[in-house]
Amino acid sequence: MRQVVLDLEESLIRQVANAGMGRSDVLKFWFGESDEVTPAFIREAAARSLNEGETFYAHNLGLPELREAIAAYCSALRCEGAAPVGADRIAVTSGGVNALMLAVQAVVDAGDEVVVVTPVWPNLTAQPAIMGAQVRCVSLRPVDGQWRLDMDELLSAVTSRTKLLIVNSPNNPTGWTLSCAEQEVLLAHCRKTGTWILADEVYERLYYEKSPNGCAPSFLDIALLDDRLMVAHSFSKSFLMTGWRLGWLVLPKAATTHLGKLIEFNTSCAPVFIQRAGVVALQRTEEVTPQVVAHLKRCRDTLVPLLQALPGVEVSPAPGGMYAFFRLAGQGDSFEIAKRLVLEAGLGLAPGNAFSSDPSPAMQGWLRWCFASQDPARLGEGVSRLRGWLATA
């Protein structure tokens, strides 16, 4: 087996979750998913497809009707003057993580330099490492209670040697979100250096600030058709479909066919019955996503003030995403804190150092709390358990 695979670290989030698996008394906020089931009409579309015998292979790039629906959905979210998103720019994938891995496979060779903005979901640093890339991290920093990007530092890191820049916005775990002005600066710089941009925008709709199109700023609002840009999306968060494993990539038209070849050698295609569910989800978006976003905002606005009231807790409401990323002052290693919270308080959170491959102690003491709870009262109970644990820790 390749050494880089042997050297991969097991997910710290999974290790914490494993410590609490099988315990009914643990409040689980460690994974990035709601505890609310997928809407019935989406499930029924998949069941209907199965009952009609749609159990065969599909086109590598996805069902034409799903690609058309995705293109229409993406186009409807774009700002005035944005380049069109046609179906010929869409590749359907088996989940957002599959979209991200395919994008990395498409452009990264062994030895290439890849720059990633961190802290970030660990897959985004692991995927280029698996391809043998040299991964450099540029870290966000908390400033006056909000996470900020040092643009000069990032621009200095991205040079003509940089094959790929990976940016997740809205960000997991911090909720930090690139502004349109920052995206314009990055895109202009990467045009000069010849660097591809992989934008993980799966939390695009989970955005709580006022915006003209009801979502976070997207590179697709400003990019030209031939820009070296790939944008990854997923049905998981906005449609309550985490377990379905359905996502997509938006990419330059000239690259779409080649991406289809990679899909053939990875998964062949997404299952047809799951794609049928995706079509219906997009057709009835307004029955799902606005309610999801409104509920998540209520959850955020329930949890954050409760955390802020605890002594030694540093946290601010995130503009996007589904997480409260907070710091416990003077508590040491985040992974050890998370394990103790499971074992001693029955509280399942994700350790902050899972989101940075940087060996510095920047993420120590930080924890991620997924606030996507169908019953907001669970959030209050979780804070009560944290308060009790802090009193005795």
Side-chain angles (χ1 to χ4, degrees), residues 247-276:
W248 72 88
L249 274 173
V250 183
L251 62 164
K253 178 181 177 181
T256 308
T257 299
H258 300 294
L259 202 287
K261 292 184 289 187
L262 274 180
I263 293 174
E264 169 64 26
F265 299 130
N266 277 266
T267 58
S268 294
C269 58
V272 172
F273 65 94
I274 290 177
Q275 294 191 61
R276 295 292 186 202

Side-chain angles (χ1 to χ4, degrees), residues 140-384:
L140 305 169
R141 295 182 178 87
V143 179
D144 298 328
Q146 295 294 328
W147 290 86
R148 297 284 184 261
L149 172 66
D150 186 327
M151 184 61 74
D152 290 337
E153 181 183 1
L154 181 57
L155 296 181
S156 295
V158 176
T159 71
S160 59
R161 298 186 303 275
T162 308
K163 178 66 73 68
L164 178 66
L165 168 64
I166 301 178
V167 185
N168 168 220
S169 170
N171 173 258
N172 172 11
T174 67
W176 162 82
T177 303
L178 272 169
S179 69
C180 185
E182 289 172 322
Q183 290 175 331
E184 288 175 342
V185 170
L186 283 178
L187 187 57
H189 182 76
C190 288
R191 285 170 181 156
K192 293 177 183 177
T193 61
T195 301
W196 280 86
I197 296 175
L198 172 55
D200 177 357
E201 297 184 358
V202 300
Y203 296 96
E204 178 188 37
R205 296 297 302 275
L206 307 188
Y207 188 61
Y208 312 115
E209 305 296 309
K210 290 186 182 298
S211 65
N213 49 1
C215 62
S218 169
F219 278 99
L220 292 174
D221 291 326
I222 58 173
L224 302 176
L225 288 172
D226 59 351
D227 275 324
R228 293 185 172 188
L229 171 69
M230 296 176 287
V231 180
H233 275 281
S234 172
F235 284 83
S236 291
K237 317 299 182 181
S238 303
F239 295 95
L240 302 174
M241 294 176 66
T242 51
W244 294 73
R245 314 317 304 135
L246 188 63
W248 72 88
L249 274 173
V250 183
L251 62 164
K253 178 181 177 181
T256 308
T257 299
H258 300 294
L259 202 287
K261 292 184 289 187
L262 274 180
I263 293 174
E264 169 64 26
F265 299 130
N266 277 266
T267 58
S268 294
C269 58
V272 172
F273 65 94
I274 290 177
Q275 294 191 61
R276 295 292 186 202
V279 171
V280 172
L282 291 171
Q283 289 173 341
R284 300 174 64 175
T285 300
E286 294 307 306
E287 298 176 45
V288 186
T289 302
Q291 291 83 350
V292 169
V293 175
H295 181 71
L296 288 177
K297 186 177 185 298
R298 288 194 296 272
C299 289
R300 182 199 68 169
D301 294 346
T302 296
L303 176 63
V304 171
L306 293 174
L307 289 174
Q308 289 173 327
L310 298 180
V313 172
E314 177 186 337
V315 64
S316 296
M322 56 200 302
Y323 310 105
F325 198 54
F326 66 100
R327 187 170 72 92
L328 295 179
Q331 290 295 330
D333 182 79
S334 293
F335 179 53
E336 294 302 322
I337 295 171
K339 287 196 298 183
R340 288 186 60 193
L341 282 169
V342 170
L343 297 174
E344 299 169 15
L347 180 61
L349 305 176
N353 45 350
F355 301 93
S356 178
S357 58
D358 186 342
S360 75
M363 290 298 103
Q364 296 296 18
W366 291 87
L367 296 162
R368 189 196 72 176
W369 187 317
C370 178
F371 53 68
S373 178
Q374 185 174 11
D375 179 7
R378 292 179 66 248
L379 303 172
E381 172 60 24
V383 173
S384 178

Side-chain angles (χ1 to χ4, degrees), residues 2 4-5 7-13 97 100-101 104-105 108-109 112-140 164-168 171-173 198 200 352-359 363:
R2 294 170 59 217
V4 68
V5 177
D7 292 342
L8 284 174
E9 292 189 8
E10 183 183 0
S11 167
L12 296 183
I13 304 170
V97 64
L100 293 163
M101 189 71 212
V104 172
Q105 290 176 347
V108 174
D109 282 317
D112 281 345
E113 179 182 276
V114 175
V115 174
V116 185
V117 177
T118 59
V120 75
W121 186 46
N123 291 46
L124 293 181
T125 52
Q127 288 170 336
I130 289 169
M131 298 302 297
Q134 301 298 312
V135 180
R136 297 183 60 190
C137 297
V138 175
S139 183
L140 305 169
L164 178 66
L165 168 64
I166 301 178
V167 185
N168 168 220
N171 173 258
N172 172 11
L198 172 55
D200 177 357
N353 45 350
F355 301 93
S356 178
S357 58
D358 186 342
M363 290 298 103

